[in-house]
Amino acid sequence: MLKTERKGNWLEMIIPVKWTGKTLEEIFRTEWKAPKKLTHSYRMEGKVLVNGDTANWNKALQPNEKLLIRLFEEEEVSGTPMFREVEILFEDDHCLVVNKPPFINTHPNNLEKDTNTLINAILYYMQAKGQLVNIHQIHRLDKDTSGAILFAKHALAGAILDRKLENREIKRTYIAMVHGILKKKKGLIQEPIGRDRHHPTRRRVSQSGQDAVTHYECIKEDMQKQVSYVKCWLETGRTHQIRVHLSYLGHPLVGDVLYGGKPSIKRQALHAAKLTFDHPITEERIICHAPFIDEQPIFKDIDIYLT
């Protein structure tokens, strides 16, 4: 875990031993894999200091030197803040993890017309704290899916987390309730997913689609209702991935009428129960569990802390 401290608009970071001899250019490009345009802006705008002086980006750094980066600045916020209660699972100066309720979009498709989304609620929450920043969404959840979702509070954290997501270093664990009793209680679904040409929003398993990998494990069965509770974790993040893959197995999600489920509940029974990632700045391992929040409980007697 790296030693850091916020000082006003600046983040102070103590150079660790493992960075001995590396230049700032190498840290931004190799360690953090920050985009060239972002790195260039920090460099040209003098937003990085070493021991209080303007940084030499090509000079080797030494342990215990103080690196200062101007990460925290007010921004012109894109979107309309709208009040709605939000459940915070984790928050610091760099990241925010929220327990998303069902029946709400994560982000607006139209900044002026769509104001009742999770992003709008977070903007209100942030402004109420005096933080005028644009939130960067790292991954997404479907409108009717609930659970943990990760956001970044500034551009550098967003860039690092985007890269971690691309490299499959952010682990997302879901709980689904599906129709039927699974014959194989644990397995791997590795089938490509593409668009369904006959439906505007539906996806399907297609050999011409994108690679998609879902791990699953049955954690509970209800023989009377003929449903199973399944833990899933993803290596990829394709649209509707869990819904498509479990339907492909012959076990569609309860409530997921788009993929063959029966409408016995008001939404597809899918909840992002756990989110695990290494912090983009401090490298601390962050583990967030998201409590079930349906007013009429869907997932009964399931312990999210065992996921």
Side-chain angles (χ1 to χ4, degrees), residues 9 18 52 56 81 131 144 159 208 220 275 290 297:
N9 292 335
K18 67 177 183 176
N56 181 339
Q131 299 180 25
D144 290 347
S208 62
K220 183 185 175 184
L275 182 67

Side-chain angles (χ1 to χ4, degrees), residues 13 42 49 63 86 94 120-121 123 152 175 221 300:
M13 176 179 292
Y42 279 116
L49 306 176
V86 289
H94 313 281
N120 298 105
L123 289 177
I175 301 296
E221 298 172 337
K300 298 179 180 178

Side-chain angles (χ1 to χ4, degrees), residues 4 57 73 78 130 171 178 180 182 194 209 218 230 236 258 275 282 297 302:
T4 66
W57 283 67
E73 296 182 301
S78 300
K171 184 176 180 182
V178 303
L182 282 70
C218 182
V230 181
T236 53
L258 186 62
L275 182 67
T282 69
I302 301 294

Side-chain angles (χ1 to χ4, degrees), residues 6 74 81 86 88 90-97 121-133 135 153:
R6 179 170 181 172
E74 288 190 358
V86 289
I88 307 301
F90 173 84
E91 181 179 12
D92 66 2
D93 291 323
H94 313 281
C95 306
L96 185 71
V97 181
I122 293 173
L123 289 177
Y124 186 99
Y125 168 79
M126 297 293 292
Q127 289 197 18
K129 297 178 62 177
Q131 299 180 25
L132 299 176
V133 296
I135 294 295
K153 288 187 175 183

Side-chain angles (χ1 to χ4, degrees), residues 22-30 39 43 57-58:
K22 290 184 179 292
T23 66
L24 276 176
E25 190 75 26
E26 289 175 307
I27 290 171
F28 272 76
R29 295 284 181 86
T30 306
T39 302
R43 185 173 189 164
W57 283 67
N58 297 308

Side-chain angles (χ1 to χ4, degrees), residues 84-90 96-107 116-119 121-122 137 139-151 174 267-268 270-273 275 289-294 299:
R84 182 189 182 113
E85 292 287 350
V86 289
E87 181 180 357
I88 307 301
L89 303 176
F90 173 84
L96 185 71
V97 181
V98 176
N99 193 5
K100 175 189 174 295
F103 314 118
I104 180 175
N105 285 321
T106 305
H107 58 85
N116 189 30
T117 74
L118 186 60
I119 287 283
I122 293 173
Q137 178 184 332
H139 61 103
R140 67 185 298 275
L141 294 176
D142 294 336
K143 180 178 181 179
D144 290 347
T145 300
S146 56
I149 184 166
L150 173 62
F151 300 89
Y174 296 77
R267 69 177 182 99
Q268 72 254 12
L270 185 62
H271 179 77
L275 182 67
H289 292 88
F292 301 118
I293 50 181
D294 290 276
F299 303 95

Side-chain angles (χ1 to χ4, degrees), residues 151-209:
F151 300 89
K153 288 187 175 183
H154 56 76
L156 181 59
I160 295 171
L161 289 171
D162 282 342
R163 186 258 302 171
K164 288 181 179 295
L165 184 70
E166 183 180 343
N167 293 341
R168 303 177 182 181
E169 296 172 9
I170 297 176
K171 184 176 180 182
R172 294 162 287 164
T173 305
Y174 296 77
I175 301 296
M177 180 171 62
V178 303
H179 291 289
I181 306 301
L182 282 70
K183 291 182 179 179
K184 188 177 180 182
K185 307 302 181 186
K186 185 177 182 180
L188 172 70
I189 309 170
Q190 194 165 2
E191 297 289 344
I193 293 176
R195 290 184 177 275
D196 188 329
R197 292 177 297 173
H198 305 292
H199 195 283
T201 59
R202 191 164 53 204
R203 301 298 193 273
R204 66 184 181 92
V205 167
S206 169
Q207 294 312 307
S208 62

